[in-house]
Amino acid sequence: MVGDSARAHASLEQASLELGVIGNCAIAALIDEAATVSWLCLPRLDGEPVFNELVGGEGRFSVELNGYAESHQNYIRNTGVLETILRSEDGSAVKVTDFAPRFFDRGRLFRPASIVRRIEPVGGMPTIKIDLNPQRARGSETMPSERGVSHIRYKDPEAGFRITTDAPMSYVLDGRAFVLDSPISFILGPDESLSDNIAVIAHDWLERTVEHWRGWSRRLGTPA
C-alpha cells in the first residue's frame, strides 16, 4: 500500500527524535526524515497543535512516495530552509523544501504565521500521495474543511488557517496518489487570498528567506 513504509519509517524517526525544525520566531514546525510535518502550533508557538503526530495524535502533513526506500535531509547551507530527498525502490525521487518565510519587506520584518512546502521531482516519474489531516481541540477531533478553487480552508475560531496550492485539489482532498511530473507548492497561513500566483510567491519567498538567513549567519561569531 502507498505510504505504509513511509509511515513506519516516520514512526521510527519520531521515536528517535531525529527531526528538522523550521521557524521564523512567530511559529515553528518539526519535520521528520520522511517529510512529515509532525508538529505545528497555530497561530503562535504556544497555540493549538494542528499537526500533532509527534505526541501520538493523527494530525500531520505528509508526502508519501510510492515504493519509498530511503531519505536524506539537510538544511540549505547557512539557512533555516530544510530539504528532504525521498527515494523509491525504482529510483524515482522527490525533493521537499520546507521553510517559514522570514525577510525584510519595505523596511519591516515579514514573518507571518505561515509555512511553505515545495515538492519537485528529481528522478524518474515519482508517484506521491499528500496526507493532510489537521486536528483541533488538542487532538480530539479533525478540523472541518471547506474547499475553494485553489485552496482548502480549515475552520476553527482560534487556529483556523488556509492552505493554497497548485497541486491537483481533488487528489489532495481525497488522499489519492498521483504522478508528480512538475513542481507543486503549498502555502499554509492565515485565511486570506494570496496576491499572486502561488508558484511565483513560493519561489520569491524562498529566495528572500534564503538571502535573509545567509545575511543573518554572516554576522555570527562561529569557530573557524
Side-chain angles (χ1 to χ4, degrees):
M1 177 181 292
V2 175
D4 280 354
S5 56
R7 184 61 52 212
H9 178 80
S11 297
L12 176 62
E13 292 305 318
Q14 288 163 9
S16 64
L17 295 181
E18 291 292 334
L19 301 163
V21 59
I22 60 171
N24 59 10
C25 295
I27 61 169
L30 295 174
I31 302 168
D32 70 20
E33 290 185 341
T36 295
V37 181
S38 60
W39 183 260
L40 172 67
C41 291
L42 292 175
R44 302 174 307 278
L45 290 165
D46 61 348
E48 178 72 35
V50 297
F51 299 134
N52 55 17
E53 190 177 68
L54 178 66
V55 294
E58 296 182 357
R60 60 183 169 268
F61 183 3
S62 66
V63 182
E64 299 181 4
L65 175 64
N66 189 26
Y68 172 86
E70 62 181 6
S71 68
H72 175 72
Q73 193 173 63
N74 63 271
Y75 288 96
I76 295 177
R77 184 174 175 81
N78 293 332
T79 78
V81 178
L82 187 67
E83 292 183 334
T84 308
I85 304 292
L86 305 177
R87 299 189 184 278
S88 69
E89 296 169 348
D90 66 4
S92 298
V94 299
K95 179 170 72 173
V96 184
T97 303
D98 290 300
F99 66 98
R102 180 182 171 91
F103 52 84
F104 283 95
D105 185 47
R106 299 183 180 92
R108 301 182 64 180
L109 185 60
F110 179 70
R111 50 171 191 168
S114 300
I115 62 172
V116 178
R117 164 160 280 193
R118 188 170 188 268
I119 309 168
E120 57 186 305
V122 293
M125 291 292 288
T127 299
I128 66 169
K129 182 175 74 171
I130 305 299
D131 186 357
L132 187 52
N133 185 47
Q135 295 192 316
R136 65 179 185 179
R138 292 300 188 266
S140 64
E141 58 187 83
T142 298
M143 193 174 287
S145 64
E146 179 180 289
R147 175 179 175 170
V149 175
S150 60
H151 69 268
I152 310 167
R153 178 182 292 116
Y154 291 97
K155 301 178 181 179
D156 185 82
E158 295 184 5
F161 63 96
R162 174 186 296 208
I163 289 184
T164 305
T165 182
D166 51 8
M169 288 290 292
S170 59
Y171 287 85
V172 172
L173 283 170
D174 296 342
R176 289 185 288 147
F178 60 94
V179 175
L180 183 70
D181 55 9
S182 60
I184 57 175
S185 300
F186 296 82
I187 296 180
L188 182 158
D191 188 12
E192 303 168 353
S193 299
L194 297 178
S195 60
D196 204 340
N197 176 276
I198 182 173
V200 171
I201 291 177
H203 184 264
D204 177 61
W205 287 5
L206 174 59
E207 287 193 333
R208 297 171 78 176
T209 298
V210 166
E211 181 181 5
H212 173 85
W213 281 120
R214 286 179 172 165
W216 177 82
S217 66
R218 281 194 293 268
R219 300 192 297 271
L220 297 178
T222 56

